[in-house]
Structure formats: structure tokens, C-alpha cells
């Protein structure tokens, strides 16, 4: 009698456990759950890419500082900032810049934007 009760209880417990696992898997495979999982993976990947980009930027700045020390530059050149005037002339030579840009020199009859497509 105890043997039958034991196996009946074990079978019922196994059935409840299996039903619970199947229901959990079915909930994971719903479109809403799949979309949430994909969004979480995308956010995680975005954070990893951001961390990678920050590491690359830190490495660039460190290497730039090392090269600046080797070349004898006092401070690294920031992006968008020009060199001081004596270095600019030495590095670029005599450069003449036109004071005004004129677009009227481009013949309009020979250029047709529709031909590009």
C-alpha cells in the first residue's frame, strides 16, 4: 500500500514539475517575450560597444600623449584647433586661401542631377 502511494505521489510530482517547465518554455516563446529578450540583448550589445569605444578612445589619448612626449610636443593638439602660427607656416609652407568662394564658375548646363540616378 505504501509502495503504491509513493509511486502515485512521485508520478503526480513529476507531472506537476513537467507541466510547470513546459508552461515556462511556452511563455518564453511568446512574441512579446522574444521581443523583450532581443531588446535586452541589443541594449547589452550597445553597452559593450560603448565600453569598447571608450577603451579605444582612452588608448588613443594615451598613445597620443606618448607620441607627444617622444616628439617633444608640450600639449596634444585638440581637434578643431589650429597650430600656433610659426608651426603652421613651417608645416604647411606658404598657402594662399581665396577670400571668397564663387560657385558661379561651375557651368550649370553641363551638370544634370538626374543623370546621377
Amino acid at each position: 500500500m505504501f509502495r503504491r502511494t509513493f509511486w502515485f505521489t512521485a508520478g503526480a510530482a513529476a507531472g506537476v514539475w513537467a507541466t510547470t517547465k513546459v508552461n515556462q518554455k511556452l511563455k518564453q516563446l511568446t512574441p512579446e517575450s522574444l521581443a523583450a529578450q532581443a531588446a535586452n540583448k541589443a541594449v547589452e550589445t550597445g553597452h559593450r560597444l560603448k565600453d569598447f569605444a571608450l577603451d579605444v578612445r582612452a588608448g588613443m589619448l594615451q598613445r597620443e600623449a606618448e607620441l607627444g612626449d617622444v616628439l617633444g610636443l608640450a600639449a596634444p593638439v585638440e581637434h578643431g584647433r589650429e597650430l600656433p602660427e610659426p608651426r603652421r607656416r613651417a608645416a604647411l609652407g606658404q598657402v594662399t586661401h581665396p577670400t571668397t568662394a564663387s560657385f558661379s564658375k561651375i557651368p550649370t548646363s553641363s551638370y544634370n542631377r538626374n543623370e546621377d540616378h
Side-chain angles (χ1 to χ4, degrees):
M1 171 119 171
F2 287 111
R3 186 181 237 184
R4 289 182 185 178
T5 306
F6 170 76
W7 286 114
F8 177 77
T9 307
V16 168
W17 177 80
T19 304
T20 304
K21 289 294 183 180
V22 167
N23 285 335
Q24 286 177 351
K25 288 295 179 184
L26 287 176
K27 286 181 183 176
Q28 287 179 354
L29 296 176
T30 60
E32 294 84 14
S33 178
L34 292 175
Q37 290 174 8
N40 289 340
K41 291 289 183 181
V43 168
E44 182 182 331
T45 302
H47 288 304
R48 286 184 181 178
L49 285 173
K50 178 183 172 188
D51 291 341
F52 175 72
L54 291 174
D55 289 344
V56 168
R57 178 72 178 146
M60 284 178 13
L61 291 174
Q62 180 183 0
R63 183 63 178 151
E64 188 175 341
E66 290 172 1
L67 289 173
D69 291 341
V70 169
L71 295 174
L73 298 175
V77 177
E78 295 178 12
H79 297 289
R81 214 176 97 195
E82 293 184 354
L83 290 172
E85 200 58 38
R87 289 185 186 169
R88 180 183 165 97
R89 280 195 218 126
L92 298 177
Q94 274 308 13
V95 178
T96 58
H97 296 286
T99 56
T100 59
S102 175
F103 295 105
S104 63
K105 294 178 184 176
I106 299 173
T108 56
S109 61
S110 66
Y111 180 72
N112 187 354
R113 286 182 52 188
N114 293 330
E115 292 177 1
D116 292 342
H117 300 287

